Amino acid sequence: GDPHKKDIVVCIGYTAPKWALTKRTIERITTVFLGRDFNLLLADEDSDMPGLDPGQIVFADASGNLVIPAENRGVQLNEVGPIRPRHIADYFDPFTHMLVAADNTNTQNADFGIAQFPGRNLVIRSHFFALGPDPFGTEYQAKDAMHELGHNFGLCHPNASDDSCPTGAIPTSERNGASSCMGSPADDGGLFNGILPNVTAITNAFSRPLDYSPTQWTNIDVASSRQ
Ligand SMILES: [Zn+2]
């Protein structure tokens, strides 16, 4: 087997420093993966790992000049590929995920994030709207990043994890939004009914664990995300 199959590297970029992953988010996700024998390195702007340049991302303007985006600029998934070479050295590219933390994804039906499925590019909405990255200690940001990373590894939403899921089915007892951070408000009808809060979706969203379900952990297919 591949001795490095459980080593995972994530380069974290942001459109503005306020959207950076918090130290708590990084520590919590790292700890959860370590508990499952995965060495997950989340490299942020303070990392001195040679070959990675995490932190501020830039985009080319109409004249081809690289500029720092406006703080509220959304980032679409297909914009992540072109920025990878500025942050990830060639020899890191085949196994390194590029996570962009931004104000929003500028993508319909992807309010909180969007990820290649499988693959190595992902975008997250860094804050839960005005409530910030960790409202009421719910670890929104950590769960959101882990959710989109799960899609990179080929995981599906729990209630879509039947035989049609590329990484395999999970038991019906695990197929609910409360069993995994792979649950999605979209599966509960969205966070809002028009302008009214959808209490079920909000309650489920805040009660999800910072964890995958037991079978999802064994179904993770890191190799499928690699070249
Ligand atoms: Zn999802």
Side-chain angles (χ1 to χ4, degrees):
D2 176 0
H4 301 299
K5 69 178 181 181
K6 292 193 130 185
D7 291 331
I8 300 165
V9 180
V10 183
C11 181
I12 304 167
Y14 49 67
T15 52
K18 76 177 282 190
W19 308 126
L21 294 200
T22 68
K23 297 301 183 193
R24 177 173 166 78
T25 289
I26 291 170
E27 182 186 321
R28 290 280 289 130
I29 296 177
T30 305
T31 301
V32 169
F33 274 77
L34 205 53
R36 298 286 181 164
D37 292 328
F38 286 92
N39 288 312
L40 177 68
L41 173 72
L42 288 159
D44 74 354
E45 65 279 8
D46 295 326
S47 167
D48 53 8
M49 168 79 75
L52 295 180
D53 186 15
Q56 180 70 57
I57 67 168
V58 292
F59 291 104
D61 69 10
S63 312
N65 300 310
L66 296 176
V67 294
I68 292 175
E71 191 175 273
N72 65 352
R73 185 194 191 284
V75 179
Q76 296 183 334
L77 184 59
N78 63 12
E79 294 180 294
V80 178
I83 70 172
R84 287 178 64 96
R86 289 196 282 275
H87 300 274
I88 302 170
D90 283 351
Y91 59 91
F92 267 89
D93 189 60
F95 56 88
T96 300
H97 299 253
M98 181 79 203
L99 183 159
V100 173
D103 177 67
N104 67 86
T105 67
N106 191 25
T107 304
Q108 277 199 333
N109 302 318
D111 289 336
F112 301 102
I114 189 162
Q116 287 182 321
F117 175 65
R120 298 187 305 287
N121 294 335
L122 63 161
V123 179
I124 69 157
R125 177 192 286 266
S126 181
H127 290 189
F128 192 80
F129 304 99
L131 296 178
D134 187 21
F136 318 114
T138 52
E139 304 190 299
Y140 158 77
Q141 184 187 71
K143 292 172 185 173
D144 195 42
M146 201 165 145
H147 178 111
E148 299 304 337
L149 272 173
H151 285 316
N152 269 189
F153 302 140
L155 296 183
C156 305
H157 295 166
N159 57 13
S161 296
D162 54 21
D163 288 334
S164 68
C165 182
T167 49
I170 63 175
T172 49
S173 61
E174 297 178 20
R175 288 185 205 170
N176 64 82
S179 72
S180 168
C181 63
M182 294 309 295
S184 169
D187 300 333
D188 296 322
L191 286 180
F192 295 94
N193 293 321
I195 60 166
L196 297 175
N198 177 349
V199 175
T200 302
I202 290 172
T203 303
N204 282 349
F206 282 156
S207 64
R208 273 191 261 289
L210 182 67
D211 207 354
Y212 302 131
S213 79
T215 310
Q216 283 181 323
W217 279 108
T218 58
N219 283 358
I220 283 180
D221 186 359
V222 174
S224 73
S225 69
R226 298 183 174 173
Q227 281 179 334

Coordinates of all heavy atoms in Angstrom, one line a residue, residues 114-145:
I114 N -18.4 25.2 -1.6 CA -18.5 24.4 -2.8 C -17.2 23.7 -3.0 O -16.1 24.3 -2.7 CB -19.0 25.2 -4.1 CG1 -19.3 24.3 -5.3 CG2 -18.0 26.3 -4.4 CD1 -20.1 25.0 -6.3
A115 N -17.2 22.5 -3.5 CA -15.9 21.7 -3.6 C -16.0 20.8 -4.8 O -17.0 20.3 -5.2 CB -15.8 20.9 -2.3
Q116 N -14.8 20.5 -5.3 CA -14.7 19.4 -6.3 C -15.0 18.1 -5.7 O -14.7 17.8 -4.5 CB -13.2 19.4 -6.9 CG -12.9 20.6 -7.8 CD -11.5 20.5 -8.4 OE1 -10.6 20.1 -7.7 NE2 -11.4 20.9 -9.6
F117 N -15.6 17.2 -6.5 CA -16.2 16.0 -6.0 C -15.9 14.8 -6.9 O -16.6 14.6 -7.9 CB -17.7 16.2 -5.8 CG -18.4 14.9 -5.4 CD1 -18.2 14.3 -4.1 CD2 -19.4 14.4 -6.2 CE1 -18.9 13.2 -3.8 CE2 -20.1 13.3 -5.8 CZ -19.8 12.7 -4.6
P118 N -14.8 14.1 -6.7 CA -13.7 14.4 -5.8 C -12.7 15.4 -6.4 O -12.9 15.8 -7.6 CB -13.0 13.0 -5.6 CG -13.2 12.4 -7.0 CD -14.5 12.9 -7.5
G119 N -11.7 15.8 -5.7 CA -10.7 16.7 -6.2 C -10.0 17.4 -5.1 O -10.0 16.9 -3.9
R120 N -9.4 18.6 -5.4 CA -8.5 19.2 -4.4 C -8.8 20.7 -4.3 O -8.0 21.4 -3.7 CB -7.0 19.0 -4.8 CG -6.6 17.5 -4.8 CD -5.1 17.3 -5.0 NE -4.6 17.9 -6.2 CZ -4.8 17.5 -7.4 NH1 -5.6 16.4 -7.6 NH2 -4.3 18.1 -8.4
N121 N -9.8 21.2 -4.9 CA -10.2 22.6 -4.8 C -11.5 22.8 -4.0 O -12.4 22.0 -4.2 CB -10.3 23.2 -6.2 CG -9.0 23.3 -6.9 OD1 -7.9 23.3 -6.3 ND2 -9.1 23.3 -8.3
L122 N -11.5 23.8 -3.2 CA -12.7 24.0 -2.4 C -12.8 25.5 -2.0 O -11.8 26.1 -1.8 CB -12.9 23.1 -1.2 CG -11.8 23.2 -0.1 CD1 -12.4 22.6 1.2 CD2 -10.5 22.5 -0.5
V123 N -14.0 26.0 -1.8 CA -14.3 27.4 -1.4 C -15.3 27.3 -0.2 O -16.2 26.5 -0.3 CB -14.9 28.2 -2.5 CG1 -15.2 29.7 -2.0 CG2 -14.0 28.3 -3.7
I124 N -15.0 28.0 0.8 CA -16.0 28.1 1.9 C -16.4 29.5 2.2 O -15.6 30.4 2.1 CB -15.5 27.4 3.2 CG1 -14.3 28.2 3.9 CG2 -15.0 26.0 3.0 CD1 -14.2 27.9 5.3
R125 N -17.7 29.6 2.6 CA -18.1 30.9 3.2 C -17.6 30.9 4.7 O -18.0 30.1 5.5 CB -19.6 31.0 3.3 CG -20.2 32.3 3.9 CD -21.7 32.2 4.2 NE -22.4 32.4 3.0 CZ -22.9 33.5 2.6 NH1 -22.7 34.6 3.3 NH2 -23.6 33.6 1.4
S126 N -16.6 31.8 4.9 CA -15.9 31.7 6.2 C -16.7 32.0 7.4 O -16.5 31.3 8.5 CB -14.7 32.6 6.1 OG -13.9 32.5 7.3
H127 N -17.6 32.9 7.3 CA -18.4 33.3 8.5 C -19.9 32.9 8.3 O -20.4 32.9 7.2 CB -18.3 34.8 8.7 CG -16.9 35.3 9.2 ND1 -16.7 36.5 9.6 CD2 -15.7 34.6 9.3 CE1 -15.4 36.6 10.0 NE2 -14.8 35.5 9.8
F128 N -20.5 32.6 9.4 CA -22.0 32.4 9.4 C -22.6 33.8 9.4 O -23.0 34.3 10.4 CB -22.5 31.5 10.5 CG -23.9 31.1 10.3 CD1 -24.2 30.0 9.5 CD2 -24.9 31.7 11.0 CE1 -25.5 29.6 9.3 CE2 -26.2 31.3 10.8 CZ -26.5 30.2 10.0
F129 N -22.6 34.4 8.2 CA -23.2 35.8 8.1 C -22.6 36.7 9.1 O -21.4 36.6 9.4 CB -24.7 35.7 8.1 CG -25.2 34.8 7.0 CD1 -25.7 33.5 7.4 CD2 -25.3 35.1 5.7 CE1 -26.1 32.6 6.4 CE2 -25.8 34.3 4.7 CZ -26.2 33.0 5.1
A130 N -23.3 37.5 9.8 CA -22.8 38.5 10.7 C -22.4 37.9 12.0 O -21.8 38.5 12.9 CB -23.8 39.6 11.0
L131 N -22.7 36.6 12.2 CA -22.4 35.9 13.5 C -20.9 35.4 13.6 O -20.5 35.0 14.6 CB -23.4 34.8 13.8 CG -24.8 35.2 13.9 CD1 -25.7 33.9 14.1 CD2 -25.0 36.2 15.1
G132 N -20.2 35.5 12.5 CA -18.8 35.2 12.6 C -18.5 33.7 12.4 O -19.4 32.9 12.0
P133 N -17.2 33.3 12.6 CA -16.8 31.9 12.3 C -17.3 30.9 13.3 O -17.3 29.7 12.9 CB -15.3 32.0 12.3 CG -15.0 33.1 13.3 CD -16.1 34.1 13.1
D134 N -17.7 31.3 14.5 CA -18.0 30.3 15.5 C -19.1 30.7 16.4 O -19.0 30.9 17.6 CB -16.7 30.1 16.4 CG -16.8 29.0 17.4 OD1 -17.7 28.1 17.3 OD2 -16.0 29.0 18.4
P135 N -20.3 31.0 15.8 CA -21.4 31.5 16.5 C -21.9 30.6 17.7 O -22.1 29.4 17.4 CB -22.5 31.7 15.5 CG -22.2 30.8 14.4 CD -20.7 30.7 14.4
F136 N -22.0 31.1 18.8 CA -22.4 30.4 20.0 C -21.6 29.1 20.3 O -22.1 28.2 20.8 CB -23.9 30.1 19.9 CG -24.8 31.2 19.4 CD1 -25.4 31.1 18.1 CD2 -24.9 32.4 20.1 CE1 -26.1 32.1 17.6 CE2 -25.6 33.4 19.5 CZ -26.3 33.3 18.3
G137 N -20.3 29.1 19.8 CA -19.5 27.9 20.0 C -19.9 26.8 19.2 O -19.5 25.6 19.5
T138 N -20.6 27.0 18.1 CA -21.1 25.9 17.2 C -20.0 25.4 16.2 O -20.3 24.4 15.5 CB -22.3 26.3 16.5 OG1 -22.1 27.5 15.8 CG2 -23.5 26.5 17.4
E139 N -18.9 26.1 16.1 CA -17.8 25.7 15.2 C -18.3 25.6 13.8 O -17.9 24.7 13.0 CB -17.2 24.4 15.7 CG -16.7 24.4 17.1 CD -15.9 23.2 17.5 OE1 -16.4 22.1 17.4 OE2 -14.7 23.3 17.8
Y140 N -19.1 26.6 13.4 CA -19.6 26.7 12.0 C -18.5 26.6 11.0 O -18.5 25.7 10.1 CB -20.4 28.0 11.8 CG -20.4 28.3 10.3 CD1 -21.3 27.7 9.5 CD2 -19.5 29.3 9.8 CE1 -21.3 27.9 8.1 CE2 -19.5 29.5 8.4 CZ -20.4 28.9 7.6 OH -20.4 29.1 6.2
Q141 N -17.4 27.4 11.2 CA -16.3 27.4 10.2 C -15.6 26.1 10.1 O -15.3 25.6 9.0 CB -15.3 28.5 10.6 CG -14.3 28.7 9.5 CD -13.2 29.7 10.0 OE1 -12.4 29.4 10.9 NE2 -13.2 30.9 9.5
A142 N -15.3 25.5 11.2 CA -14.6 24.2 11.2 C -15.5 23.1 10.5 O -15.0 22.3 9.7 CB -14.3 23.7 12.6
K143 N -16.8 23.1 10.8 CA -17.7 22.1 10.2 C -17.8 22.3 8.7 O -17.9 21.4 7.9 CB -19.1 22.1 10.9 CG -19.0 21.7 12.3 CD -20.3 21.9 13.1 CE -20.2 21.5 14.5 NZ -21.4 21.9 15.3
D144 N -17.9 23.6 8.3 CA -18.1 23.9 6.9 C -16.8 23.5 6.1 O -17.0 22.9 5.1 CB -18.3 25.4 6.8 CG -18.9 25.8 5.4 OD1 -19.8 25.1 4.9 OD2 -18.5 26.8 4.9
A145 N -15.7 23.8 6.7 CA -14.4 23.4 6.0 C -14.3 21.9 5.9 O -14.0 21.3 4.8 CB -13.2 24.0 6.7

